[in-house]
Amino acid sequence: MKTNSVTNCVSRRGRAVIGAALAGATIFLALIAANTNAASHSPGGDRTDSRGENEQPQSAGGAVGSDGEVGTVELPEQSISASPLPARRPLPGAREMQAIAATYPERVERVELKDGDWAALIDGQWYYWSRGRLLREELRGRHEQFTPIRFYNYYLGPLRIPQVDPQLEARLENILDDRQANPPVRHPGFQDALYGLSSYDEANDKMRNIDFLGFKTRMHPLATQALEKVEADIRERSAHDKEVAEFVRGLSTVAGFNWRNISGTRARSLHSYGIAIDLIPRYYDGDYGYWKWAAEADVDEWWKLGEEERFTVPQPIIDAFERHGFVWGGKWLFFDPIHFEYRPEVFELSNSPPND
């Protein structure tokens, strides 16, 4: 008896649900029929609406009208629109690798997603993003042993002293001791491939002799044409700008190619590749021409030194270098104001929108 009671209860509920569904379907079909009849009896006898002559409304699909013809049902916009799927965040390295490909088309054969990471093909060898280290396949698992290659958003215009948060300040206070205990090392493989050299002899053979602002030096062929344009801009400006002319006359030398590591690191300097150039003055007039000089002189919070305490370069000269793909080391936290590097990929990266 208990079982029959439960069965009867379920049956009654089932009949109620079915009845409600049939009633809803009847009302729905009636609405369709009304819509179809209204459309077929519009003035002029053709199916027009406010969107234009003989233009059919957007339809959600076919429906059977009360007269047996197939009509259309225009549903509210919110009924047919679907919420878009959330955009997938791009893998790290996409913008950087694409910037390299765009600015070195003669060296980079292609860039693509490969084995779960962005990779660039140079001279038949793949180099993977590897959290900014740009390593060959066999080194990807050891990326923590190396310092990333520097990519950053570079700004144009006058110097702005970088702002440093308290956490970074604590590290900077001991930076000299930290570097001496554990000098940073950057794997040279990618840059060797990009610039087409991996030893002093190869570099020495590749460099080109140039004259720059009255001084002889040697530079990589990738940078020589850009430097010619920089010099032309500086010469033109110095003809009517006293500050620029005096700065050029005050130079002691210009230093390009020099096979060495960055001071205090095991990372190869970009001077080794002939894409960095230093404008060395005869006198610094008591100003700090390098962050390390200030740190070694026990200057408290050397990173906060004002522009008046740092050696600097006239803004028109900085502008000339930047116009032709050179970044100025004076804008770095670890400031190096006599130093310029040919890094067109940094400008490409800075001008491209971020992938949010």
Side-chain angles (χ1 to χ4, degrees):
M1 292 297 293
K2 193 170 185 179
T3 302
N4 291 339
S5 175
V6 173
T7 302
N8 291 336
C9 180
V10 173
S11 300
R12 287 195 299 272
R13 289 181 180 175
R15 287 193 296 272
V17 171
I18 293 170
L22 290 173
T26 302
I27 294 171
F28 182 69
L29 290 173
L31 289 172
I32 293 173
N35 182 73
T36 303
N37 289 335
S40 63
H41 290 91
S42 60
D46 52 6
R47 299 168 71 98
T48 62
D49 64 13
S50 61
R51 281 168 288 212
E53 184 178 4
N54 294 324
E55 184 179 346
Q56 299 296 329
Q58 295 294 320
S59 171
V64 180
S66 61
D67 55 4
E69 295 181 351
V70 177
T72 59
V73 180
E74 186 173 5
L75 298 181
E77 202 171 325
Q78 60 268 28
S79 299
I80 60 176
S81 64
S83 299
L85 293 174
R88 179 178 295 179
R89 184 176 294 275
L91 288 175
R95 295 174 62 222
E96 291 85 351
M97 294 296 238
Q98 290 163 4
I100 291 170
T103 50
Y104 298 96
E106 70 281 12
R107 297 296 303 138
V108 180
E109 298 169 44
R110 66 178 186 272
V111 166
E112 66 183 44
L113 276 173
K114 185 176 176 64
D115 300 329
D117 205 356
W118 281 98
L121 183 65
I122 302 177
D123 293 336
Q125 174 70 58
W126 286 102
Y127 295 88
Y128 294 81
W129 176 245
S130 297
R131 301 189 182 185
R133 277 71 171 180
L134 285 88
L135 301 173
R136 297 192 305 270
E137 171 69 31
E138 65 271 18
L139 295 172
R140 293 174 69 189
R142 296 164 48 195
H143 69 271
E144 292 181 354
Q145 299 178 16
F146 306 107
T147 299
I149 293 176
R150 295 178 62 203
F151 294 93
Y152 46 89
N153 285 322
Y154 186 85
Y155 67 91
L156 301 176
L159 171 66
R160 303 194 297 264
I161 305 299
Q163 300 299 307
V164 177
D165 60 46
Q167 185 176 4
L168 180 55
E169 280 191 356
R171 291 174 51 201
L172 293 175
E173 288 174 355
N174 301 307
I175 191 70
L176 290 178
D177 292 338
D178 292 344
R179 285 196 169 199
Q180 185 174 0
N182 186 27
V185 57
R186 185 170 57 222
H187 195 278
F190 175 77
Q191 290 177 322
D192 286 358
L194 184 64
Y195 301 121
L197 55 92
S198 59
S199 68
Y200 170 79
D201 288 339
E202 290 178 354
N204 193 48
D205 289 342
K206 189 173 285 288
M207 297 302 127
R208 299 291 179 266
N209 296 323
I210 68 165
D211 290 312
F212 187 78
L213 297 179
F215 298 92
K216 295 185 182 299
T217 190
R218 306 182 72 210
M219 297 292 293
H220 194 288
L222 286 173
T224 54
Q225 186 174 4
L227 275 175
E228 290 175 4
K229 296 176 181 178
V230 173
E231 182 178 29
D233 288 356
I234 293 174
R235 292 291 189 191
E236 180 181 357
R237 183 68 183 231
S238 65
H240 57 83
D241 189 316
K242 182 179 179 181
E243 182 187 21
V244 171
E246 288 182 351
F247 179 87
V248 173
R249 285 196 298 269
L251 289 175
S252 169
T253 190
V254 167
F257 169 65
N258 183 7
W259 187 264
R260 62 175 177 82
N261 286 344
I262 300 170
S263 176
T265 77
R266 291 173 290 170
R268 192 173 292 163
S269 167
L270 293 187
H271 282 285
S272 299
Y273 297 106
I275 63 164
I277 189 167
D278 291 343
L279 307 185
I280 303 174
R282 291 192 183 94
Y283 308 105
Y284 288 92
D285 296 328
D287 296 332
Y288 291 103
Y290 189 38
W291 73 271
K292 198 172 181 182
W293 299 349
E296 290 174 340
D298 293 326
V299 174
D300 289 335
E301 299 183 329
W302 55 263
W303 52 92
K304 292 183 179 179
L305 284 172
E307 189 173 355
E308 68 282 355
E309 298 175 275
R310 305 181 185 206
F311 179 79
T312 191
V313 175
Q315 189 62 45
I317 293 179
I318 298 169
D319 293 341
F321 274 97
E322 291 176 342
R323 263 194 303 275
H324 302 293
F326 288 82
V327 299
W328 178 46
K331 291 180 177 178
W332 298 338
L333 174 62
F334 297 94
F335 60 89
D336 190 358
I338 67 171
H339 181 88
F340 294 87
E341 292 179 356
Y342 184 63
R343 296 289 305 280
E345 71 275 19
V346 170
F347 290 94
E348 179 75 17
L349 180 64
S350 301
N351 291 332
S352 61
N355 286 321
D356 294 328

